[in-house]
C-alpha cells in the first residue's frame, strides 16, 4: 500500500508543482498581490536579459504589457519599432476595445496590463470611470488638441477617426443619402444596410446618440434598423470589402478602411460619405492611458510619447489613413480636412462612457 | 463475472484525497456560476425582458434538434451502406466519410460562408451555367448544414462498429416472416441499434449546443454566440454569467435524458451471433447509393479542402506572402501535448478508483465525471476567467489556468477511453499478483499498466485532438503572447486575410490527422 500511495502522491505533487512553476503561486495563489502574476515576472526576467544584451542602444529598457483594442495589422509595426528603438520588451494582447476595457475593470488592481490602447474614447472612459488610470503629465496631454484628451487627463488621444458611411456608388445615388444617421430608417434602405454591432466604435456612436438625443429615440431607431433587415459583420473592414465586392450598399463604419481600399485600388467603386450632423458624423480619438497598477510606468510613458512621435503619427495617417493629432504632421492627401467634418461639438467622453452599458443593452434589446 | 471483489478493501487514503482534489477542481466552474447566479443583483425576470433569453433558448434548442436528426439520418445511412451493402471498396468510403471529423466547425463554416457568398467560388464556377446570383448561406440553414456535415461522422463511427457486431438471426427471422429490406432496417436493425444511436446523438447534441465558431460565422444567435458577444461588449455583464448558466443546465439536461433512456435495456437474443453477408444491390439502387456517398463526401470533405486550397493558391499567386505561423504551431503543440499528458496522469487514479474500489465515493466520482462530459467549452472558459480573476489572481492569464480549463472539458474523454481498457484487468489477476507478494504499486506497474496503457494512450490522443481544435477557451484564457493555430485562423478570418487563414488551417488539419489516424485504427467503442 505504501509504495503505491507514494507513487500516486508523487504524481499529484508533480501536477501541482508543474502548476506552481507555470503560475508562480500554484492553485492556492494568494490574492491581490499585484505584479506577481506569473506572466509578468517571467516577462520581467526576460526583459532584464534582453535589456542587458541590448544595452548600447537601449534608452528605456524594462518590459511592457499592452492591451490593444486596435487591430494587430494597424499597430503592430509601430509597437515593433518602439520595442526596437527603446529596448523595451513588449507583449501585446489584442482583442476588442470594449472587451479589454471590461477585462481591465474586472481585473482591477491585479491587471497585468501597463498600457491600454483603445480604438475609441468610450472604452477608455470606462477604465477612467473605474479609477484605474494614472493622470498623465500635462506635457503629454498638450501634444494633441483639447477635444482629443480626457477632461481629467486620464488618457490621451493618439489619432483621430470619423464615423462615416461606406457607399457602393454603383448601387447608391448621392440624392438617396440621408443628412444624419436617423435618416437611414427609411423603407428605401430595406435590406441594404450593414453594421458591426459588437464593434467598439459603433457602440461609441450609440452612446453618443443616447447622450445627445435620449434613450427613447435611440431605442426606436435601433429597432427600426433591425426591422429593415441589416447584414451583420464582425468588424468594420469586412463591410468595406463587401461594398467593394458589390454585396453591400451602405455600411456604418469608421472612415479609414475605405481610404485604405481606395489607396490600393483607385478604381474601386466605393466612397466615404460623411454625414451633415449628429453622432453619425462623430469624430473621435483613438487613445491610450497608463494603468495605476502598472509596475513599468517609465516604459509605459515612453510608449505613449512614442505614439506622439512623428514616425508613429505619419504611420497612422499614411498607412492607416487616420487624422494625425500632433501639430506639424501633414494629414494624408486622401483625407478630407478635419475642419470640414460636422462632428457634434464639445463631446464629453467620460459622459459617453456612462452610457456605454445602456448602449449595449439597447443594441441587444433591439435584437441585434 | 469477477470471482473476487475488492469491495471490502479500503481505498488507499492518497487515492481518495487526490481524487477529492480533482473533483473539487472539476466542480469549481459550475459552483462559481451557481454562486453568481443566486447572487444576481437584478431580478431573473429582467433578463427575460431585456436580453432576448427566450429567442436564444429557442434558437439553440431548435438547432440542436435539427442537427441531431439530420446527423442521425446521414450517419445511419452511411453506416448501413458501408457495413452491410456490397459496394466497391467499402473501407475507403468509410474512411472518407469519417474524415470530416478532423475539420473544426469554424474552418468548415468559414469555407461555406465564402464559397456560397454572393460573389463566391460557387457563383464563379457555375456562372458558365447561367448562375449569376445566390442569396448566400447563413443563419439557421447555414448552421444546420455545417454542423451536420461535421458531426455526422460521430454517428458513423459509433453506429457502424455496433452494426458490425450485430447478430443477424433476428433479421433472418423477420425476412422469413415476409418483411422486405426496408422494413427489416426500420423495424429490426435500427431499433436494435438504440444504444449506439442514443450515445451518438448525445455526442452530436452536446457538440451543437457548445459550438461557438460555426454559429458565429453563420450569424445565428444562439446562447454561445450571445455569451461571446456580451464578453466582447462588456465582460462583467451579468448576461455572460446568466447565459453560461443556462447553457450548462441545458447540457446537463441532455446528458441526464440520455442516461435515463439508457437504463431501459434492449432484449438480448440467445444463440450464436451470426454476421450477415453484404447484400447485393440492384443497379438502380446502386446508383443512388454511390450518388449519396459522393454528395456527402464532397460536401463534408472535398468542398472545404478545395476552398482552402483555392484561397492559398490564389493568395500566393497574387503575391500575398504567407507570414510565419511558427508561433501558432508552437502554441498549439505545446498546449495540446501538455493537456494530453496531464489528462492521462489525472485520469489514471480516477479510473483505478472507479474500477478497483467499488466504494460509494468511486461510484459518485464516476457519475460526476459522466455528467460533466461535454460541458459547454465557452461556459467553462467564462467561469474559469472569473474564478482566476476573483479568487486565484496568481494564475490569471497563465498557462496553468488555460490547461486546467482544457482538462475540465476534455478529461472525461481520457477517462472514457481508459475505462474501456480497464475491463481487461480482471480482479483475479490482481489477486494473483497480491498472492505472489507484490505490493499494490508493483501490481499496478506490472499488471494494470501494461493492460491499460493503450487505452490511456488513446485517451491522450483524443484530448490532444480536442485541444488542437479548441477555440473559445483559448480566446478567453490564453496568456498574453500565446497564440494557437485555432486563434490565428479565427483572427485572420475576421480580418479577411484568407490566404493566411487557409495556410494555418492546412497545418492544423495536417497535425490533427496524426492522432485521428491512430484513433481510427482502433475500435473506440470497445
Amino acid at each position: 500500500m505504501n509504495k503505491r500511495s507514494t507513487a500516486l502522491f508523487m504524481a499529484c505533487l508533480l501536477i501541482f508543482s508543474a502548476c506552481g512553476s507555470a503560475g508562480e503561486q500554484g492553485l492556492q495563489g494568494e490574492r491581490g498581490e499585484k505584479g506577481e502574476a506569473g506572466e509578468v515576472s517571467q516577462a520581467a526576467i526576460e526583459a532584464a536579459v534582453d535589456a542587458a544584451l541590448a544595452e548600447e542602444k537601449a534608452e528605456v529598457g524594462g518590459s511592457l504589457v499592452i492591451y490593444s483594442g486596435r487591430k494587430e495589422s494597424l499597430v503592430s509595426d509601430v509597437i515593433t519599432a518602439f520595442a526596437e528603438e527603446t529596448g523595451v520588451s513588449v507583449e501585446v494582447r489584442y482583442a476588442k476595445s470594449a472587451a479589454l476595457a471590461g477585462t481591465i475593470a474586472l481585473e482591477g488592481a491585479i491587471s497585468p496590463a501597463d498600457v491600454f490602447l483603445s480604438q475609441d474614447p468610450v472604452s477608455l472612459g470606462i477604465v477612467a470611470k473605474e479609477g484605474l488610470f494614472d493622470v498623465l503629465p500635462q506635457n503629454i496631454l498638450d501634444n494633441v488638441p483639447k477635444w482629443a484628451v480626457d477632461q481629467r487627463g486620464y488618457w490621451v488621444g493618439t489619432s483621430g477617426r470619423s464615423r462615416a458611411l461606406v457607399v457602393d456608388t454603383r448601387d447608391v445615388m448621392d440624392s438617396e443619402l440621408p443628412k444624419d444617421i436617423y435618416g437611414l430608417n427609411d423603407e428605401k434602405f430595406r435590406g441594404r444596410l450593414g453594421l458591426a454591432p459588437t464593434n467598439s466604435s459603433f457602440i461609441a456612436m450609440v452612446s453618443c446618440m443616447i447622450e445627445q438625443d435620449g434613450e427613447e429615440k435611440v431605442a426606436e431607431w435601433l429597432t427600426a434598423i433591425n426591422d429593415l433587415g441589416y447584414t451583420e459583420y464582425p468588424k468594420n473592414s469586412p463591410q468595406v470589402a463587401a461594398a467593394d465586392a458589390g454585396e453591400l450598399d451602405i455600411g456604418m463604419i469608421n472612415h479609414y478602411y475605405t481610404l485604405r481600399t481606395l489607396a490600393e485600388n483607385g478604381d474601386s467603386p466605393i466612397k466615404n460619405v460623411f454625414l451633415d450632423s449628429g453622432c453619425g458624423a462623430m469624430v473621435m480619438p483613438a487613445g491610450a492611458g497608463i494603468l495605476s497598477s502598472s509596475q513599468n510606468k517609465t516604459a509605459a510613458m515612453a510608449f505613449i510619447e512614442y505614439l506622439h512621435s512623428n514616425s508613429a503619427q505619419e504611420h497612422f495617417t499614411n498607412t492607416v489613413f487616420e487624422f494625425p493629432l500632433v501639430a506639424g504632421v501633414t494629414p494624408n492627401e486622401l483625407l478630407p480636412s478635419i475642419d470640414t467634418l460636422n462632428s457634434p461639438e464639445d463631446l464629453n467622453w467620460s459622459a459617453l462612457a456612462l452610457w456605454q452599458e445602456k448602449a449595449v443593452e439597447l443594441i441587444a434589446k433591439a435584437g441585434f | 463475472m469477477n470471482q473476487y471483489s475488492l469491495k471490502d478493501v479500503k481505498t488507499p487514503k492518497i487515492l481518495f484525497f487526490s481524487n477529492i482534489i480533482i473533483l473539487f477542481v472539476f466542480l469549481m466552474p459550475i459552483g462559481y456560476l451557481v454562486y453568481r447566479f443566486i447572487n444576481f443583483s437584478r431580478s431573473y425576470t429582467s433578463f427575460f425582458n431585456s436580453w432576448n433569453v427566450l429567442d436564444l433558448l429557442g434558437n439553440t434548442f431548435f438547432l440542436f434538434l435539427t442537427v441531431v436528426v439530420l446527423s442521425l439520418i446521414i450517419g445511419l445511412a452511411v453506416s448501413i451502406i458501408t457495413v452491410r451493402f456490397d459496394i466497391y471498396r467499402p473501407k475507403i468510403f468509410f474512411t472518407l466519410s469519417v474524415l470530416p471529423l478532423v475539420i473544426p466547425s469554424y474552418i468548415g463554416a468559414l469555407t461555406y460562408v465564402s464559397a456560397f457568398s454572393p460573389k463566391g467560388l460557387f457563383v464563379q464556377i457555375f456562372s458558365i451555367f447561367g448562375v449569376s446570383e445566390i442569396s448566400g448561406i447563413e443563419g439557421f440553414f447555414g448552421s444546420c448544414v455545417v454542423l451536420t456535415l461535421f458531426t455526422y461522422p460521430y454517428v458513423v463511427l459509433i453506429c457502424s462498429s455496433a452494426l458490425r457486431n450485430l447478430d443477424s438471426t433476428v433479421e433472418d427471422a423477420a425476412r422469413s416472416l415476409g418483411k422486405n429490406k426496408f422494413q427489416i432496417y426500420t423495424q429490426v436493425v435500427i431499433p436494435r441499434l438504440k444504444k449506439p444511436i442514443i450515445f451518438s446523438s448525445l455526442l452530436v447534441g452536446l457538440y451543437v449546443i457548445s459550438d461557438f465558431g460555426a454559429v458565429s460565422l453563420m450569424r445565428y444567435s444562439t446562447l454561445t454566440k450571445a455569451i461571446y458577444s456580451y464578453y466582447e461588449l462588456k465582460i462583467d455583464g451579468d448576461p455572460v454569467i446568466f447565459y453560461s448558466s443556462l447553457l450548462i443546465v441545458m447540457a446537463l439536461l441532455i446528458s441526464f435524458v440520455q442516461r435515463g433512456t439508457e437504463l431501459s435495456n434492449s432484449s438480448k437474443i440467445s444463440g450464436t451471433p451470426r454476421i450477415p453477408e453484404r447484400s447485393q444491390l440492384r443497379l438502380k439502387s446502386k446508383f443512388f447509393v454511390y450518388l449519396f456517398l459522393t454528395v456527402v463526401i464532397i460536401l463534408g470533405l472535398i468542398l472545404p479542402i478545395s476552398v482552402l486550397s483555392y484561397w492559398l493558391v490564389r493568395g500566393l499567386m497574387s503575391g500575398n506572402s504567407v507570414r510565419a505561423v511558427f508561433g501558432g504551431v508552437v502554441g498549439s503543440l505545446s498546449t495540446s501535448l501538455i493537456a494530453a499528458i496531464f489528462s492521462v496522469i489525472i485520469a489514471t487514479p480516477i479510473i483505478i478508483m472507479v474500477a478497483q474500489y467499488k466504494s460509494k465515493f468511486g461510484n459518485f466520482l464516476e457519475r460526476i465525471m459522466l455528467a460533466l462530459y461535454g460541458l459547454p467549452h465557452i461556459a467553462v472558459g467564462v467561469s474559469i476567467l472569473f474564478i482566476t480573476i476573483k479568487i486565484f489572481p496568481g494564475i490569471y492569464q497563465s498557462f496553468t489556468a488555460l490547461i486546467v480549463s482544457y482538462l475540465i472539458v476534455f478529461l472525461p474523454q481520457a477517462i472514457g477511453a481508459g475505462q474501456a481498457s480497464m475491463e481487461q484487468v480482471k480482479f483475479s489477476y490482481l489477486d494473483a499478483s497480491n498472492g505472489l507478494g507484490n505490493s499494490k504499486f508493483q501490481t499496478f506497474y506490472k499488471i494494470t499498466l501494461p493492460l491499460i496503457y493503450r487505452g490511456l494512450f488513446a485517451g491522450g490522443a483524443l484530448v490532444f485532438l480536442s485541444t488542437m481544435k479548441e477555440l473559445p477557451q483559448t480566446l478567453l484564457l490564453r496568456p498574453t503572447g500565446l497564440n494557437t493555430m485555432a486563434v490565428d485562423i479565427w483572427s485572420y478570418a475576421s480580418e479577411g486575410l484568407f490566404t493566411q487563414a487557409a495556410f494555418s488551417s492546412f497545418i492544423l488539419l495536417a497535425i490533427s490527422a496524426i492522432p485521428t489516424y491512430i484513433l481510427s485504427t482502433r475500435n473506440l467503442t470497445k
Side-chain angles (χ1 to χ4, degrees), chain A residues 27 67 93 107 232 364, chain B residues 52 219 230 392 396-397 478:
Chain A
L27 281 171
Y67 277 14
R93 191 176 187 85
E107 291 166 349
E232 181 186 323
Chain B
N52 308 319
R219 299 170 196 149
Y230 282 114
F392 300 117
Y396 174 58
Q397 274 183 11
R478 71 200 163 104

Side-chain angles (χ1 to χ4, degrees), chain A residues 22 25 64 69 78 94 129 132 162 168 179 184 230 290 300 331:
Chain A
Q25 299 183 342
L64 194 63
V78 173
Y94 292 101
K129 186 181 80 184
L132 296 170
S162 175
D168 178 358
K179 297 256 176 273
L184 287 176
Y230 67 99
I290 297 174

Side-chain angles (χ1 to χ4, degrees), chain A residues 19 31 37 57 64 69 96-97 122 139 147 185 189 198 245 271 275 277 280 319 341:
Chain A
C19 293
R31 72 190 289 164
K57 76 170 177 180
L64 194 63
K96 295 202 171 176
S97 298
V122 171
N139 64 323
W147 65 266
N185 172 17
F189 296 124
T198 60
K271 70 167 184 180
L275 294 169
S277 63
T319 311
L341 302 177

Side-chain angles (χ1 to χ4, degrees), chain A residues 33-335:
Chain A
E33 284 176 66
K34 48 185 169 180
E36 281 204 11
E39 301 316 305
V40 173
S41 56
Q42 196 143 5
I45 296 164
E46 281 169 21
V49 174
D50 283 358
L53 288 175
E55 207 163 6
E56 62 276 14
K57 76 170 177 180
E59 292 165 23
V60 185
S63 69
L64 194 63
V65 175
I66 300 170
Y67 277 14
S68 174
R70 309 210 53 191
K71 285 201 319 192
E72 188 167 3
S73 55
L74 302 184
V75 294
S76 66
D77 287 349
V78 173
I79 293 174
T80 311
F82 165 75
E84 275 170 13
E85 275 180 36
T86 58
V88 174
S89 105
V90 185
E91 295 228 45
V92 195
R93 191 176 187 85
Y94 292 101
K96 295 202 171 176
S97 298
L100 289 172
T103 304
I104 293 171
L106 194 63
E107 291 166 349
I110 69 151
S111 180
D114 298 305
V115 173
F116 175 35
L117 183 58
S118 166
Q119 68 153 276
D120 72 289
V122 171
S123 300
L124 288 163
I126 286 168
V127 178
K129 186 181 80 184
E130 299 289 328
L132 296 170
F133 274 143
D134 269 1
V135 174
L136 295 169
Q138 197 58 43
N139 64 323
I140 287 188
L141 298 172
D142 287 343
N143 282 339
V144 303
K146 275 238 150 35
W147 65 266
V149 294
D150 176 49
Q151 279 87 347
R152 294 153 302 173
Y154 283 126
W155 53 264
V156 65
T158 51
S159 57
R161 60 266 301 285
S162 175
R163 290 298 292 174
L165 302 178
V166 60
V167 164
D168 178 358
T169 55
R170 290 165 296 194
D171 295 323
V172 182
M173 285 177 302
D174 281 349
S175 56
E176 277 189 291
L177 290 167
K179 297 256 176 273
D180 64 16
I181 200 84
Y182 294 98
L184 287 176
N185 172 17
D186 191 314
E187 263 315 302
K188 67 186 173 195
F189 296 124
R190 180 167 289 280
R192 298 168 70 190
L193 301 174
L195 55 93
T198 60
N199 176 273
S200 309
S201 300
F202 180 77
I203 299 164
M205 179 181 81
V206 175
S207 307
C208 167
M209 289 160 75
I210 299 174
E211 162 86 3
Q212 301 258 309
D213 313 313
E215 188 180 330
E216 210 169 305
K217 190 173 175 191
V218 180
E220 239 170 62
W221 179 77
L222 285 166
T223 312
I225 294 294
N226 191 27
D227 291 344
L228 278 178
Y230 67 99
T231 311
E232 181 186 323
Y233 293 88
K235 296 182 175 188
N236 286 325
S237 46
Q239 297 189 63
V240 177
D244 188 39
E247 293 162 17
L248 174 68
D249 283 359
I250 301 171
M252 297 176 219
I253 56 157
N254 288 338
H255 76 276
Y256 42 92
Y257 293 106
T258 312
L259 301 186
R260 218 178 176 189
T261 305
L262 287 170
E264 280 166 18
N265 171 18
D267 299 331
S268 172
I270 58 169
K271 70 167 184 180
N272 270 332
V273 170
F274 296 94
L275 294 169
D276 292 342
S277 63
C279 297
M282 173 168 64
V283 176
M284 57 186 158
I290 297 174
L291 278 298
S292 314
S293 56
S294 166
Q295 306 285 308
N296 305 300
K297 285 180 182 160
T298 321
M301 203 72 81
F303 179 64
I304 292 192
E305 275 169 355
Y306 188 82
L307 292 175
H308 287 159
S309 71
N310 280 357
S311 68
Q313 290 288 307
E314 272 159 17
H315 172 85
F316 287 137
T317 189
N318 291 326
T319 311
V320 189
F321 300 100
E322 292 179 294
F323 297 101
L325 293 180
V326 174
V329 179
T330 323
N332 185 281
E333 55 190 13
L334 286 174
L335 286 164

